[in-house]
Amino acid sequence: MKCIIVYQSKTGFTKKYAMWILEKLHCDIMKLKDATKEKLTAYDCIIFGSYIRVEKVRGWNKMKALAGKKENKDLIIFATGSTPVAMEEHINDIWKKSIPEKQLQDIPHFYMQSGLNYEKMGVADKLMMKGFAVMMKWKNKKDGKVGAQDLGKSFDNSSKKFIMPLVNYVEKK
């Protein structure tokens, strides 16, 4: 089975995960901006990776259009974000907001916790996240949550362990 990872990364976390998956699966890799329908027709399996921004997996519509019909291809998605993996309900809501329900049922999807990198964010993203961080800090204090992640500064909770469900899925194929 010929497989490729197609990804887009804004602050580096999705790229990091794509590279870790590449190390395990020894497949091809390409940035989403360089992908075309013609290039992707050579592959039986397409692993699409992207980041979550404003509670949506970015680039899905473009990837779906490039991948075409799934009849003879396996299409797999992974998304990275700062949300802790333990917040399954919230992560499921993000999937539902990002991908139509029928597609979501048919396409294997995996979430990989990452972090925030303010140094690589644009001004608008920084302002949005800083505002959200203040709101969450106030909410956590009000709810009595001690030790909640400080969203007002950069952090990295990435781990190779988060790629293993996807890697195992692909290897079984």
Side-chain angles (χ1 to χ4, degrees):
M1 179 168 71
K2 192 168 179 186
C3 191
I4 187 168
I5 301 164
V6 179
Y7 75 95
Q8 66 175 4
S9 187
K10 188 157 184 132
T11 59
F13 293 109
T14 307
K15 180 179 181 179
K16 180 192 296 190
Y17 276 112
M19 294 303 173
W20 285 343
I21 294 166
L22 178 68
E23 286 174 15
K24 290 284 188 185
L25 297 178
H26 307 287
C27 55
D28 293 334
I29 192 165
M30 174 186 310
K31 290 180 181 178
L32 178 61
K33 69 178 185 171
D34 299 327
T36 65
K37 275 187 176 185
E38 293 74 28
K39 289 178 182 176
L40 296 179
T41 57
Y43 296 92
D44 307 305
C45 174
I46 301 169
I47 301 169
F48 171 63
S50 190
Y51 56 93
I52 295 169
R53 182 175 181 270
V54 192
E55 298 199 351
K56 284 198 167 186
V57 178
R58 296 299 165 185
W60 169 245
N61 289 334
K62 180 176 181 180
M63 183 68 242
K64 184 64 178 157
L66 289 172
K69 294 187 179 183
K70 192 181 175 229
E71 292 161 0
N72 296 319
K73 291 188 189 313
D74 285 313
L75 181 57
I76 301 162
I77 306 168
F78 75 89
T80 63
S82 60
T83 302
V85 292
M87 296 179 66
E88 289 181 47
E89 189 174 316
H90 182 69
I91 294 165
N92 287 334
D93 286 344
I94 291 169
W95 286 117
K96 289 174 187 172
K97 289 177 186 175
S98 302
I99 301 168
E101 189 174 342
K102 175 66 174 127
Q103 292 175 10
L104 195 57
Q105 291 172 2
D106 294 341
I107 300 171
H109 48 282
F110 301 87
Y111 175 75
M112 299 172 192
Q113 185 177 341
S114 57
L116 292 173
N117 186 338
Y118 280 97
E119 293 75 24
K120 291 187 178 179
M121 286 183 190
V123 174
D125 286 337
K126 281 182 188 178
L127 289 172
M128 180 181 65
M129 282 308 302
K130 290 284 187 179
F132 182 69
V134 169
M135 182 183 75
M136 289 307 294
K137 193 172 189 176
W138 177 81
K139 184 181 182 317
N140 287 336
K141 186 176 181 180
K142 182 181 156 213
D143 295 344
K145 292 183 182 173
V146 180
Q149 183 74 56
D150 181 2
L151 299 176
K153 60 183 179 181
S154 295
F155 63 91
D156 184 353
N157 290 330
S158 305
S159 172
K160 286 186 178 182
K161 70 181 179 185
F162 296 131
I163 70 168
M164 292 316 297
L166 184 149
V167 168
N168 292 336
Y169 176 86
V170 173
E171 286 178 340
K172 285 179 185 171
K173 294 226 143 249

